């Protein structure tokens, strides 16, 4: 993609990144292992709704093993954003994810949306989760995805201070960009996400409050994602998926994802973790 398409556009922060080995596009398979927190944080009635809570448990119990086996078949590494309470409840699942070489990213403790928290409160949550994941897996988390996408004016500074290099929160670009503090670029790469790449936009079904009735077939999801991939690859951009094992981990959807991954690889995709893509961008910008 020629950078001239965007470089002079007002408000644009895109970087003209060359992907490794001549790849056409970077793709990140970001899995949000929300488990029961998908339901406990949704509204009245769900925190005590045993059936809905069991839907959340499907993710670490049934979905994750299928997804790990499929990723092993391709030799791919992914990022699993894991709320701290899920790591506490399913430590063996989180250990297995890490043991297979996948990245663990920050996703709150209770999957709480930090709508009214202070910097000190959010930092305390990060410290708690970082210590938990470090003790379970030996990993120091460097990728951040805020539950609900809630970000504050202090968040970028806090992430840089704590050594994070990848943020998957903003929605205003199809490519990575560097964040800034006080007008100066900092070594924190935004690898944006969007609802078009979020499986809950297609397969989140519940008839309890708050009701939601999106339910698409795997074939429909595959068609949408293939078309979006094709045009973004033509521009040399990136995709950061938001996938929930309790949904995408269903048998038919894992097979759809397998088909999509094969399609993307055959058409020049570089598929790696949020951290790996961020490190590549920092190297390209001389900030490694």
């Amino acid at each position: 993609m020629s950078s001239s398409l965007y470089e002079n556009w007002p408000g644009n922060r895109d970087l003209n990144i060359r992907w490794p080995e001549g790849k056409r596009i970077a793709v990140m398979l970001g899995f949000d292992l929300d488990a029961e927190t998908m339901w406990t944080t949704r509204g009245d009635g769900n925190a005590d709704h045993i059936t809905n809570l069991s839907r959340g448990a499907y993710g670490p119990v049934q979905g994750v093993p299928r997804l790990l086996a499929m990723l092993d078949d391709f030799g791919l590494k992914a990022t699993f954003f894991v709320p701290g309470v899920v790591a506490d409840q399913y430590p063996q699942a989180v250990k297995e994810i890490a043991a297979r070489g996948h990245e663990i990213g920050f996703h709150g403790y209770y999957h709480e949306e930090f709508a009214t928290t202070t910097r000190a409160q959010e930092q305390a949550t990060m410290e708690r989760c970082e210590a938990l994941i470090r003790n379970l897996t030996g990993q120091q988390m460097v990728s951040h995805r805020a539950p609900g996408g809630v970000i504050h004016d202090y968040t970028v500074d806090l992430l840089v201070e704590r050594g994070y290099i990848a943020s998957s929160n903003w929605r205003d670009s199809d490519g990575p960009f560097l964040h800034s503090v006080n007008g100066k670029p900092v070594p924190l790469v935004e690898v944006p996400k969007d609802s078009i790449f979020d499986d809950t936009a297609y397969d989140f079904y519940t008839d309890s409050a708050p009701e939601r009735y999106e339910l698409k077939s795997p074939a429909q999801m595959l068609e949408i994602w293939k078309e979006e991939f094709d045009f973004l690859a033509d521009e040399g951009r990136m995709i950061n998926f938001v996938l929930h094992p309790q949904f995408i981990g269903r048998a038919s959807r894992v097979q759809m994802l397998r088909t999509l991954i094969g399609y993307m690889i055959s058409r020049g995709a570089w598929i790696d973790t949020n951290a790996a893509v961020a490190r590549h961008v920092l190297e390209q910008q001389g900030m490694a």
Side-chain angles (χ1 to χ4, degrees):
M1 181 196 71
S2 170
S3 61
S4 62
L5 181 61
Y6 299 103
E7 62 185 357
N8 296 318
W9 196 258
N12 175 63
R13 295 184 284 183
D14 291 4
L15 300 170
N16 189 30
I17 298 298
R18 300 180 305 279
W19 301 120
E21 300 177 355
K23 298 296 185 181
R24 300 172 63 218
I25 184 173
V27 175
M28 288 146 280
L29 300 171
F31 295 96
D32 291 10
L33 186 56
D34 296 341
E36 289 93 337
T37 69
M38 172 70 76
W39 306 94
T40 57
T41 57
R42 293 197 64 236
D44 291 343
N46 281 288
D48 298 316
H49 194 305
I50 293 175
T51 303
N52 280 349
L53 294 178
S54 73
R55 293 182 182 186
Y58 186 94
V61 174
Q62 296 287 317
V64 166
R66 281 196 190 107
L67 291 165
L68 291 180
M70 184 268 295
L71 292 168
D72 282 351
D73 288 344
F74 284 104
L76 294 175
K77 304 305 177 189
T79 301
F80 286 77
F81 293 96
V82 184
V85 68
V86 176
D88 272 336
Q89 291 173 336
Y90 300 98
Q92 293 306 317
V94 176
K95 287 181 179 180
E96 184 64 22
I97 290 168
R100 301 209 193 188
H102 301 292
E103 178 190 15
I104 308 295
F106 176 83
H107 203 42
Y109 184 80
Y110 291 110
H111 197 267
E112 61 272 67
E113 295 187 8
F114 299 103
T116 59
T117 51
T118 65
R119 173 179 172 137
Q121 289 171 325
E122 191 164 343
Q123 178 172 330
T125 300
M126 294 176 74
E127 290 174 350
R128 179 184 187 183
C129 294
E130 290 162 6
L132 172 59
I133 296 302
R134 201 163 46 240
N135 290 336
L136 269 180
T137 70
Q139 286 193 28
Q140 177 64 39
M141 292 190 292
V142 297
S143 294
H144 180 279
R145 178 174 281 175
V150 178
I151 297 294
H152 295 278
D153 54 2
Y154 58 73
T155 301
V156 169
D157 188 51
L158 180 60
L159 293 178
V160 173
E161 180 182 293
R162 301 200 61 76
Y164 286 77
I165 62 171
S167 164
S168 173
N169 297 296
W170 270 250
R171 319 287 177 101
D172 58 347
S173 178
D174 289 317
F177 59 83
L178 292 175
H179 282 286
S180 298
V181 173
N182 297 324
K184 296 183 179 180
V186 293
L188 177 65
V189 178
E190 184 61 37
V191 278
K193 63 175 184 175
D194 188 75
S195 295
I196 194 171
F197 301 116
D198 186 331
D199 58 359
T200 65
Y202 308 96
D203 56 12
F204 195 161
Y205 179 89
T206 174
D207 56 7
S208 61
E211 295 83 356
R212 204 168 162 185
Y213 297 116
E214 287 75 32
L215 190 60
K216 301 288 191 296
S217 72
Q220 289 172 298
M221 296 168 68
L222 179 63
E223 180 182 10
I224 293 168
W225 287 345
K226 283 171 63 176
E227 290 179 350
E228 193 71 12
F229 169 85
D230 285 339
F231 289 105
L232 288 174
D234 285 345
E235 291 188 357
R237 315 306 289 282
M238 52 143 280
I239 295 172
N240 199 350
F241 282 97
V242 184
L243 306 170
H244 300 80
Q246 61 188 277
F247 300 128
I248 201 69
R250 295 280 168 178
S252 63
R253 282 159 166 73
V254 172
Q255 292 307 310
M256 177 275 293
L257 189 58
R258 181 187 296 273
T259 299
L260 177 67
I261 289 171
Y263 180 88
M264 294 190 296
I265 291 174
S266 71
R267 287 159 177 79
W270 171 43
I271 302 178
D272 215 323
T273 65
N274 279 237
V277 172
R279 289 190 183 97
H280 178 77
V281 172
L282 291 175
E283 289 171 0
Q284 292 261 307
Q285 300 302 303
M287 299 178 70

